[in-house]
Amino acid sequence: MAFDYKKEFKEFYLPAKKPSIVTVPAMNYVAVRGAGDPNEEGGAYQQAMEVLYGIAYTIKMSKKGSHQIEGYFDYVVPPLEGFWWIEGFTGMDYARKANFQWVSCIRLPDFVGQDDFAWAVAEATRKKKRDFSAAEFLTLEEGLCVQCLHLGSYDNEPATVEAMHAFASEQGYELDFSDERRHHEIYLSDPRRTAPEKLKTVIRHPVRKA
């Protein structure tokens, strides 16, 4: 059976509907950076999705080709994730989507190194005949965070975020946003196939001891 990160690391991908404190270790990602409204038809965000999934599935399906990655094991491609911010603004303002800055990413298995990643970019470019150079190999250690499972529309996230911040304060933590520590979302539902009120999204914010 294919290794499923969501099931094997439930503390990171399937948290409770109530806020909790978690320490997130270093992870590797295929990532694309961009800006603008993610809902823009044919916009930068949608183009980034094509790059991310193109690389992610090139690596997953490498087992069927001539490039054999050392340590490879069969796995389920992890869920899409995103780090979001607005320049000069702390937190998120969901009414200003055109001002969003983002890093969209998909977790990579630990067996994928820089050389394997470079191969995947070249292979995807060759097979799909499009530019995959926007993809980058990103290593990120989030560390101490408050997180919660949000149910419902993305536009209704502020209520969940408020509950997270209140919980963190009650537990003796304060927010710790910086250029390296951002508002983080993990998408457990496909918005193309899921009603807005049934969407499941992990929301994670960086904290530190107050």
Side-chain angles (χ1 to χ4, degrees):
M1 183 176 294
F3 186 91
D4 190 334
Y5 285 85
K6 296 192 302 299
K7 295 179 180 178
E8 299 297 332
F9 297 102
K10 291 182 179 180
E11 67 270 34
F12 303 134
Y13 297 102
L14 297 172
K17 299 174 187 177
K18 295 182 179 180
S20 60
I21 302 297
V22 65
T23 300
V24 185
M27 300 180 188
N28 296 328
Y29 301 89
V30 51
V32 176
R33 300 175 187 270
D37 188 341
N39 298 319
E40 180 186 353
E41 190 68 31
Y45 187 80
Q46 293 187 10
Q47 294 177 38
M49 296 302 100
E50 296 178 15
V51 173
L52 289 176
Y53 282 103
I55 299 299
Y57 278 94
T58 295
I59 292 171
K60 174 178 170 58
M61 302 309 296
S62 63
K63 61 182 180 180
K64 295 188 176 182
S66 59
H67 183 88
Q68 297 296 301
I69 300 176
E70 184 177 355
Y72 180 97
F73 55 81
D74 195 21
Y75 64 99
V76 177
V77 171
L80 175 69
E81 309 187 31
F83 296 89
W84 302 83
W85 70 98
I86 297 175
E87 292 294 347
F89 185 84
T90 300
M92 292 294 291
D93 183 346
Y94 295 83
R96 297 166 56 191
K97 293 183 175 66
N99 299 114
F100 281 179
Q101 305 281 324
W102 40 264
V103 178
S104 291
C105 51
I106 296 174
R107 184 177 180 176
L108 294 172
D110 290 341
F111 61 70
V112 179
Q114 293 274 12
D115 291 343
D116 299 310
F117 185 83
W119 166 82
V121 172
E123 180 70 1
T125 300
R126 182 184 69 82
K127 279 193 169 183
K128 298 182 181 296
K129 295 180 172 54
R130 61 160 294 172
D131 185 9
F132 282 84
S133 62
E136 66 175 275
F137 185 96
L138 175 67
T139 300
L140 185 65
E141 183 173 358
E142 286 187 88
L144 196 62
C145 297
V146 59
Q147 69 177 12
C148 189
L149 180 64
H150 170 73
L151 299 178
S153 167
Y154 303 132
D155 288 337
N156 293 336
E157 287 182 6
T160 298
V161 167
E162 184 177 342
M164 288 167 51
H165 292 178
F167 173 82
S169 180
E170 292 167 0
Q171 298 299 311
Y173 297 93
E174 61 186 12
L175 299 176
D176 191 28
F177 288 107
S178 70
D179 289 346
E180 302 298 325
R181 310 191 76 202
R182 306 288 194 182
H183 172 93
H184 184 185
E185 299 181 0
I186 304 174
Y187 307 104
L188 304 180
S189 307
D190 186 342
R192 299 170 301 177
R193 299 180 174 88
T194 308
E197 66 273 13
K198 294 183 179 180
L199 291 171
K200 295 182 179 180
T201 308
V202 179
I203 303 176
R204 190 178 291 159
H205 280 180
V207 296
R208 64 188 175 199
K209 273 290 187 181

